[in-house]
Amino acid sequence: MPVPESPDDHHSSFLHGIWTGHAFHLFRIGATDAEVPASIQSAMGELTTDGLLASVGEVSSLELWLPTTDATSWNRQSVPTLAFGPADAIDLLTGFEDAGSLSDSLRYWAAIARFLVQSLARQQFAPNIMEVAENAYEGRWHVLSGSADELKNLEATLAAMPPVCRSVATGDRATMDPVHLIDSFLTETADAVIRRSLSRDDFFDDIHDRARTEGLWELAWLSSLLGKDRRIQCHSDEIAPIAPLINTWISKLTQEAEETPDVLRFRLVEPAEDASAEVWRLAIDLIDAEDRLVDVAAVLSDRGDRPSLLGRRYGNRRAQLVAELNRAGALFPPLTRFARRPSPDGLDLTNDEVYGFLRENAPMLITEGFSLDLPDWARNATRQLGLQLHLKPISGGAGTSDLSLGRFGLGALLEFDWRMALGDDRLTLEEFEEIAKQKSSLVKLRGQWISFDQEAATRALEFMRKEAKGKITLLAALRLVGGAEETAAGLPVIGISGADWLDQFLRDTPNSEVEELPQPAGFKGTLRPYQLRGMAWLAFLHRLGIGACLADDMGLGKTIQLISLLLIERERDREAAPTDVPYESAVGPTLLFAPMSVVGNWQREMERFAPTIRVLVHHGPQRLSGDAFIEATKQHDVIITTYGLAHRCEKDFKRIQWYRIAMDEAQKIKNPIAAQTVALRNLNADHRIALTGTPVENHLSELWSIMEVLNPGLLGTASSFRTKFAVPVEKLGDQQRADQLRRMIRPFLLRRLKSDPTVACDLPEKMEMRVFCNLTTEQAAIYERTVNALMNEVDLATGIRRRGMILATLTKLKQICNHPAHFLKNDGPLDGRSGKCERLIEMLEEVLEEGDAALVFTQYREMGNLLERLMAKRLGVQVPFLHGGTTMKKRNEMIDAFQDPANPQRIFLLSLKAGGFGLNLTKANHVFHFDRWWNPAVEDQATDRVHRIGQTRRVQVHKFVCIGTVEDRIDKLLTEKSALADRIVGSGDEWLTGMSSRDLRDYLTLTDDAVVES
């Protein structure tokens, strides 16, 4: 029984309120039927702002438990009431003027009503589907949870509910539980208020008509949400599969933020050894926040006895479990059987269901965050059933029982035979035939379960009987194993075998099994261990006649690894030459392509580390051509030229059978249809080497282009590569295809990072920090005008015009962040107008005071000119500025002067593109990125002009960012990008130009902290 209230609360002058689940009743203690209209309506007129509300109520009555006058016992009494529907109840309770004159019960419900109105005003509501009877569904509106504090406060009101609110004497006691009363009040009133608001729009009349005529469940659901009839008027078979998904969505929206959810884990249990039938079990475990196992069946049978809200318990274990099972059931449908009929032992599965689960559903469940406990054999991807391609030389003489390490190239013709394998274990044909006979996708072999496609296994068996042996080129074999070509076998090709060198060739990186080579005697310096291994790896692939991509991180000495290779080849050739005849080198000339900006650097590095190498620079108007060029190449070991001449001098270059073609900064050939790339593919060479710190900058097509120059045909045609790898990896995020491609190119690409343990010890520490700057008042005013001008026009623009407008404005905003004079293109004063410039000058003053040296990078030549003027005035030093228009002679003079220890010059200004790669500027130990570029790899390249082999001091990298501007957003974008050599990212501007106008304004608009205080 409820506890009696205080006598004052039952005084006849007080109105009381009570919610019965579907209506709100007003009553007065001791009132008679005849007094209802007069006394209650009169009292309402005094308490509310709308005296007409009383006329909305309907005369009714309730059976209540009320205390006797001495409060010692209870009487069951019939009390006349005035009843209000859910929407009118909200109007009533929110319309009371003087809370002090209300009874406890009315104050209580008025507080709940205000909470509801505030939630609706914040648009914290969503549509739902409720199953009200078997195969009968209704559309309902539900209030969503607010903050965790709001929910806690609301649930705290349960204990404060006045007893009179629970005094209805009829019906089930559970219906008078405070939890049920608040739940039903919020659910019914919210639904009614929202429906009443929507019904005022004539547009929805058309929805009801279409729902009746078209019969679509979406329209039927929408219609049920708009009118008085909540029923969803469509076939139950259409709505039944949708309802759990909608409920799952709503559960996610209403989950309490601070609640630590239980973890749902699926555990695959193998059939017992002595079982008469192979019955698998998917055990379903629930693990709480303290890592304890919870009884799943018990949780599912629990209907809830703790505070809940809106028809579902926030933090209710059962609601969470059902929602998670529904979510998992969408990925693995048999789980819906368990949700309907929970079993303590989990879910029984057939062989076929287990095979499908492991092949398709388990990866999706893991991706969606579910925990899976699988047997070791199911987790071990290397234990898959597949084909192994075994290679051997074509029979024909003694000593040919194994492949020899000779220079035969990827086009060498070899004999092959297919072998069945289970991971690393070879299977006999008899074992495989036995597997195929079982007609099951899961079989036990050698005491272990294996899973495979039975239909594919049958095709593979036929393939083995017909085409088990034959002849194939090494290139075709590698393409088969890498997945660039398909077989008719039906099973995956999981490996290749042959001689020891072939196994060695297919490994990740060179190791002790690659023939160790000493440092060349003619090398003037000391090669680090990893550089010696890199030289040996290049020599190893050269002996095989296979192109190599040396993709070491920037600054790790790719240049000297190639130089040392050139030296060791000539030294070994001379040692092997007969002494009784004049020496004639078998090592021909190498044609080295490089960007124009680093040609001089290559020439100097050759002179420094390998003075015996004869170098010819083929560049400029005085370069040789025709027969003169041919004769000159015979007198030199290395011809250094530029990418720009690959096409223009193609005729001369093609007249020579080059010993090697080398390509520095090989990302310059990332465009496969560019004239210089096509020309390079047409040149004749015994061997090709690409040097690049960024084998992939933006798209996988760049990697294809580099590999096509090195080893034509390895990755297939451009169109097939796009279909098999580029689209699945870049667009669909296919990790399996990404892993397959990585394995395929692994033998041809060597990449060591500065973070590798064997490398890190050779480099000093690098510290990266962001320098946050404010705009000046002038900058902020120009910035805001520019954004407003864009937004006034962008709404009317579409397609490429809209994209162009946004990109042009982006450039303007970045220029404004640099300096107003950069944007305005004027020669006005520079001091005090740019927060970024002022901070740069302050930091450079500190650099000079400490005796350090710095590089300053900007992506704009115009800004470089302004900085050059500003530094000369404020720092009192002349700062050289290297940019795209600097001649090669002047460039080399600048670099030599800066690197000269005796030169007092300690600041070097460079444009990002012209000075961002190929240079060795280790005199500096500070790097300033004045403005930011889209691709973090470009900035890394610039930084590594300083943080590279030869640097002995700690390197400090300062990246300037204007707070609250588009630069701030770009900075966040760059920090989220993965290393491009490992994962692919889209082009730099797509994230911005594809935004809606509203998002674009939010992204570009200045924040409150953008402007410096004056």
Side-chain angles (χ1 to χ4, degrees):
M1 287 290 182
V3 178
E5 299 181 21
S6 63
D8 288 344
D9 201 34
H10 291 292
H11 193 274
S12 61
S13 63
F14 277 77
L15 278 178
H16 293 276
I18 193 166
W19 173 256
T20 60
H22 299 285
F24 189 80
H25 293 257
L26 287 177
F27 65 93
R28 290 182 64 178
I29 303 298
T32 64
D33 291 347
E35 293 177 310
V36 169
S39 61
I40 297 181
Q41 292 183 12
S42 175
M44 282 182 57
E46 296 175 3
L47 297 176
T48 67
T49 58
D50 185 0
L52 295 177
L53 272 173
S55 64
V56 178
E58 295 183 1
V59 176
S60 183
S61 65
L62 285 176
E63 290 285 329
L64 302 179
W65 288 105
L66 297 175
T68 58
T69 54
D70 58 3
T72 59
S73 61
W74 294 88
N75 284 334
R76 181 167 175 160
Q77 300 180 31
S78 177
V79 178
T81 68
L82 202 60
F84 295 83
D88 296 326
I90 295 298
D91 295 337
L92 171 72
L93 292 169
T94 56
F96 288 129
E97 286 187 319
D98 184 4
S101 63
L102 300 179
S103 65
D104 289 346
S105 58
L106 283 181
R107 284 200 303 271
Y108 184 84
W109 288 113
I112 304 297
R114 286 194 297 273
F115 169 82
L116 173 69
V117 171
Q118 290 167 1
S119 298
L120 296 182
R122 291 193 296 264
Q123 298 184 352
Q124 290 175 200
F125 58 90
N128 203 350
I129 296 177
M130 294 187 65
E131 186 175 10
V132 293
E134 187 174 359
N135 296 327
Y137 297 88
E138 290 183 354
R140 297 283 186 93
W141 292 99
H142 282 297
V143 178
L144 302 178
S145 63
S147 67
D149 289 340
E150 286 179 343
L151 294 176
K152 288 181 179 179
N153 292 336
L154 185 61
E155 291 184 350
T157 62
L158 291 167
M161 179 179 284
V164 70
C165 297
R166 295 176 284 126
S167 61
V168 174
T170 56
D172 187 356
R173 176 179 294 186
T175 62
M176 288 298 105
D177 179 76
V179 174
H180 174 80
L181 287 174
I182 290 181
D183 262 351
S184 61
F185 179 82
L186 291 171
T187 300
E188 294 294 330
T189 56
D191 184 79
V193 169
I194 294 171
R195 287 176 188 275
R196 182 175 65 183
S197 175
L198 294 177
S199 66
R200 297 169 185 164
D201 195 331
D202 295 337
F203 166 76
F204 293 115
D205 292 339
D206 180 54
I207 297 296
H208 301 306
D209 295 336
R210 291 181 59 194
R212 287 192 296 270
T213 57
E214 298 182 25
L216 297 175
W217 73 264
E218 297 94 330
L219 289 174
W221 180 31
L222 183 57
S223 176
S224 72
L225 294 167
L226 303 180
K228 294 181 179 180
D229 189 356
R230 294 173 171 175
R231 293 175 299 170
I232 300 178
Q233 305 282 1
C234 72
H235 199 282
S236 61
D237 289 345
E238 295 183 33
I239 201 67
I242 303 300
L245 301 179
I246 300 296
N247 282 309
T248 299
W249 173 57
I250 294 296
S251 296
K252 289 181 181 179
L253 295 176
T254 58
Q255 188 174 7
E256 184 177 355
E258 294 185 2
E259 182 72 17
T260 301
D262 298 324
V263 175
L264 188 60
R265 180 180 69 187
F266 301 105
R267 187 163 40 88
L268 185 61
V269 182
E270 299 178 1
E273 289 287 345
D274 56 351
S276 57
E278 292 178 349
V279 178
W280 297 78
R281 178 149 302 126
L282 187 65
I284 301 172
D285 300 330
L286 197 63
I287 304 169
D288 66 14
E290 298 180 6
D291 206 27
R292 295 174 302 193
L293 205 62
V294 180
D295 188 337
V296 174
V299 171
L300 288 175
S301 62
D302 175 23
R303 307 310 298 181
D305 56 3
R306 292 182 301 175
S308 61
L309 182 64
L310 312 177
R312 56 186 53 78
R313 185 199 311 276
Y314 294 96
N316 180 291
R317 176 170 282 158
R318 179 182 180 277
Q320 291 179 7
L321 176 56
V322 170
E324 286 295 273
L325 282 172
N326 284 333
R327 188 165 70 93
L331 303 174
F332 186 50
L335 285 171
T336 57
R337 300 202 308 260
F338 179 85
R340 291 194 300 267
R341 297 184 298 277
S343 164
D345 296 329
L347 181 67
D348 290 340
L349 301 176
T350 66
N351 271 11
D352 288 340
E353 286 178 327
V354 171
Y355 174 73
F357 175 78
L358 293 175
R359 184 182 177 91
E360 298 176 2
N361 309 106
M364 291 191 294
L365 288 168
I366 293 173
T367 300
E368 289 299 313
F370 291 100
S371 175
L372 264 69
D373 185 358
L374 303 176
D376 290 341
W377 59 266
R379 293 197 305 268
N380 188 357
T382 62
R383 291 287 297 171
Q384 66 175 320
L385 185 65
L387 297 174
Q388 187 180 77
L389 185 62
H390 183 76
L391 302 177
K392 58 184 178 180
I394 295 177
S395 302
T400 61
S401 59
D402 203 359
L403 289 170
S404 60
L405 184 54
R407 291 195 65 243
F408 55 86
L410 295 176
L413 195 62
L414 305 169
E415 287 186 350
F416 74 87
D417 65 273
W418 290 106
R419 300 176 178 181
M420 298 304 305
L422 179 60
D424 294 330
D425 297 333
R426 171 100 181 263
L427 300 182
T428 65
L429 188 59
E430 291 74 18
E431 283 179 311
F432 187 52
E433 288 175 338
E434 186 62 31
I435 291 174
K437 286 179 183 177
Q438 296 186 37
K439 303 296 183 184
S440 175
S441 299
L442 282 171
V443 298
K444 219 169 190 180
L445 178 68
R446 300 177 183 175
Q448 286 193 337
W449 288 94
I450 59 172
S451 65
F452 61 95
D453 186 335
Q454 181 64 36
E455 183 180 343
T458 301
R459 293 201 310 271
L461 188 60
E462 296 175 359
F463 175 81
M464 288 287 291
R465 289 168 176 164
K466 296 178 181 177
E467 305 178 45
K469 297 183 178 182
K471 294 181 175 62
I472 194 173
T473 64
L474 180 58
L475 175 65
L478 293 174
R479 285 169 49 76
L480 280 171
V481 175
E485 285 187 5
E486 305 290 342
T487 71
L491 289 180
V493 181
I494 60 175
I496 189 171
S497 62
D500 291 341
W501 72 263
L502 184 56
D503 296 331
Q504 165 184 325
F505 169 64
L506 295 171
R507 292 191 180 95
D508 272 330
T509 57
N511 49 42
S512 57
E513 295 181 9
V514 172
E515 180 187 3
E516 292 185 8
L517 297 177
Q519 177 171 308
F523 187 81
K524 304 302 181 182
T526 302
L527 291 171
R528 288 164 170 78
Y530 74 88
Q531 293 171 336
L532 282 171
R533 292 194 298 272
M535 177 190 71
W537 179 77
L538 291 173
F540 173 68
L541 263 63
H542 180 224
R543 292 199 303 276
L544 298 178
I546 293 173
C549 179
L550 182 59
D552 282 347
D553 215 348
M554 294 163 286
L556 294 186
K558 295 185 290 293
T559 299
I560 61 175
Q561 290 178 70
L562 178 58
I563 291 174
S564 62
L565 175 67
L566 299 175
L567 281 172
I568 197 73
E569 289 173 335
R570 284 158 177 79
E571 290 178 4
R572 298 188 114 195
D573 181 67
R574 182 175 288 276
E575 291 172 0
T579 58
D580 55 344
V581 296
Y583 171 68
E584 185 175 347
S585 176
V587 181
T590 289
L591 179 60
L592 171 62
F593 288 91
M596 185 186 71
S597 59
V598 298
V599 167
N601 184 68
W602 267 102
Q603 188 176 13
R604 283 163 175 72
E605 296 289 85
M606 291 281 189
E607 293 171 354
R608 175 185 175 189
F609 292 107
T612 60
I613 295 289
R614 299 168 299 172
V615 177
L616 171 66
V617 175
H618 182 72
H619 176 69
Q622 304 302 318
R623 65 181 182 272
L624 301 174
S625 63
D627 293 340
F629 174 70
I630 304 302
E631 288 301 316
T633 60
K634 297 176 182 178
Q635 309 303 318
H636 294 85
D637 301 308
V638 177
I639 288 79
I640 304 175
T641 189
T642 65
Y643 284 106
L645 295 178
H647 175 63
R648 282 183 278 169
C649 296
E650 181 181 0
K651 183 177 179 181
D652 284 340
F653 291 159
K654 288 181 69 174
R655 294 178 61 186
I656 300 172
Q657 178 65 37
W658 299 98
Y659 185 76
R660 174 183 292 110
I661 289 177
M663 294 155 282
D664 186 29
E665 301 295 345
Q667 64 271 17
K668 292 292 183 181
I669 59 169
K670 65 184 181 181
N671 183 353
I673 62 174
Q676 63 190 33
T677 308
V678 175
L680 277 166
R681 290 202 296 265
N682 292 334
L683 300 184
N684 305 311
D686 296 336
H687 187 227
R688 294 169 186 256
I689 291 178
L691 308 179
T692 176
T694 52
V696 179
E697 283 190 323
N698 289 298
H699 299 288
L700 279 179
S701 60
E702 300 163 4
L703 177 64
W704 179 89
S705 184
I706 293 174
M707 283 296 171
E708 183 68 10
V709 173
L710 292 176
N711 296 298
L714 175 67
L715 298 181
T717 64
S719 60
S720 67
F721 179 80
R722 174 175 172 77
T723 301
K724 290 180 180 295
F725 296 108
V727 171
V729 174
E730 293 180 9
K731 304 296 184 184
L732 306 178
D734 190 330
Q735 189 59 45
Q736 183 177 357
R737 281 292 187 182
D739 292 340
Q740 193 176 40
L741 177 60
R742 190 177 296 112
R743 287 194 303 270
M744 189 171 184
I745 66 172
R746 186 171 60 193
F748 310 94
L749 188 146
L750 174 60
R751 180 167 177 79
R752 277 84 56 91
L753 304 178
K754 290 177 179 176
S755 57
D756 292 346
T758 57
V759 174
C761 60
D762 288 324
L763 287 169
E765 179 186 6
K766 179 176 72 172
M767 297 177 59
E768 293 192 357
M769 59 205 79
R770 279 152 185 78
V771 181
F772 292 101
C773 310
N774 296 99
L775 300 180
T776 63
T777 304
E778 179 189 7
Q779 284 177 294
I782 300 173
Y783 190 104
E784 289 184 326
R785 286 201 304 269
T786 305
V787 171
N788 290 335
L790 169 69
M791 299 312 303
N792 290 336
E793 299 180 18
V794 76
D795 287 335
L796 302 177
T798 58
I800 193 170
R801 181 172 178 269
R802 184 180 191 274
R803 180 186 177 95
M805 290 172 56
I806 294 173
L807 290 179
T809 302
L810 177 64
T811 299
K812 294 176 183 178
L813 295 180
K814 292 169 75 175
Q815 292 173 345
I816 295 167
C817 291
N818 282 350
H819 197 288
H822 185 195
F823 171 71
L824 297 172
K825 312 295 184 188
N826 60 33
D827 295 326
L830 300 180
D831 290 345
R833 300 174 64 193
S834 166
K836 198 190 287 189
C837 285
E838 294 302 310
R839 184 62 183 133
L840 176 65
I841 294 299
E842 292 171 359
M843 296 184 72
L844 287 176
E845 287 174 343
E846 294 177 11
V847 168
L848 295 176
E849 288 174 4
E850 294 173 1
D852 291 343
L855 305 184
V856 180
F857 285 99
T858 175
Q859 60 181 290
Y860 301 104
R861 180 172 173 177
E862 298 88 347
M863 190 63 219
N865 292 330
L866 293 176
L867 289 175
E868 191 176 9
R869 286 172 45 201
L870 186 65
M871 291 177 190
K873 178 182 177 184
R874 297 282 293 276
L875 301 177
V877 296
Q878 294 299 316
V879 176
F881 179 29
L882 190 157
H883 50 77
T886 307
T887 64
M888 188 168 66
K889 180 181 178 182
K890 183 64 174 176
R891 173 191 297 267
N892 294 336
E893 291 174 354
M894 287 181 175
I895 294 168
D896 291 343
F898 181 78
Q899 284 292 94
D900 185 356
N903 191 331
Q905 176 188 316
R906 286 186 284 134
I907 299 176
F908 199 170
L909 180 61
L910 310 98
S911 72
L912 191 62
K913 285 191 175 182
F917 56 88
L919 302 181
N920 189 340
L921 300 170
T922 52
K923 178 179 177 178
N925 63 321
H926 288 264
V927 178
F928 291 87
H929 290 290
F930 186 75
D931 37 44
R932 311 297 302 281
W933 191 242
W934 291 119
N935 196 330
V938 176
E939 288 187 347
D940 291 341
Q941 282 181 326
T943 297
D944 287 319
R945 301 312 98 217
V946 171
H947 191 237
R948 61 193 300 112
I949 297 302
Q951 180 61 262
T952 58
R953 295 176 294 172
R954 181 178 64 180
V955 174
Q956 298 183 53
V957 184
H958 314 277
K959 300 180 177 182
F960 279 53
V961 177
C962 282
I963 298 173
T965 70
V966 69
E967 283 195 335
D968 206 352
R969 277 73 165 190
I970 293 174
D971 177 69
K972 291 181 175 64
L973 172 75
L974 295 181
T975 58
E976 294 170 359
K977 283 191 176 184
S978 303
L980 295 180
D982 299 322
R983 294 296 303 166
I984 306 303
V985 297
S987 60
D989 53 35
E990 291 175 357
W991 60 277
L992 183 66
T993 56
M995 285 185 177
S996 67
S997 296
R998 178 178 178 180
D999 292 338
L1000 184 64
R1001 180 178 288 279
D1002 292 341
Y1003 208 91
L1004 298 182
T1005 302
L1006 292 179
T1007 62
D1008 294 337
D1009 55 353
V1011 186
V1012 66
E1013 296 180 3
S1014 57

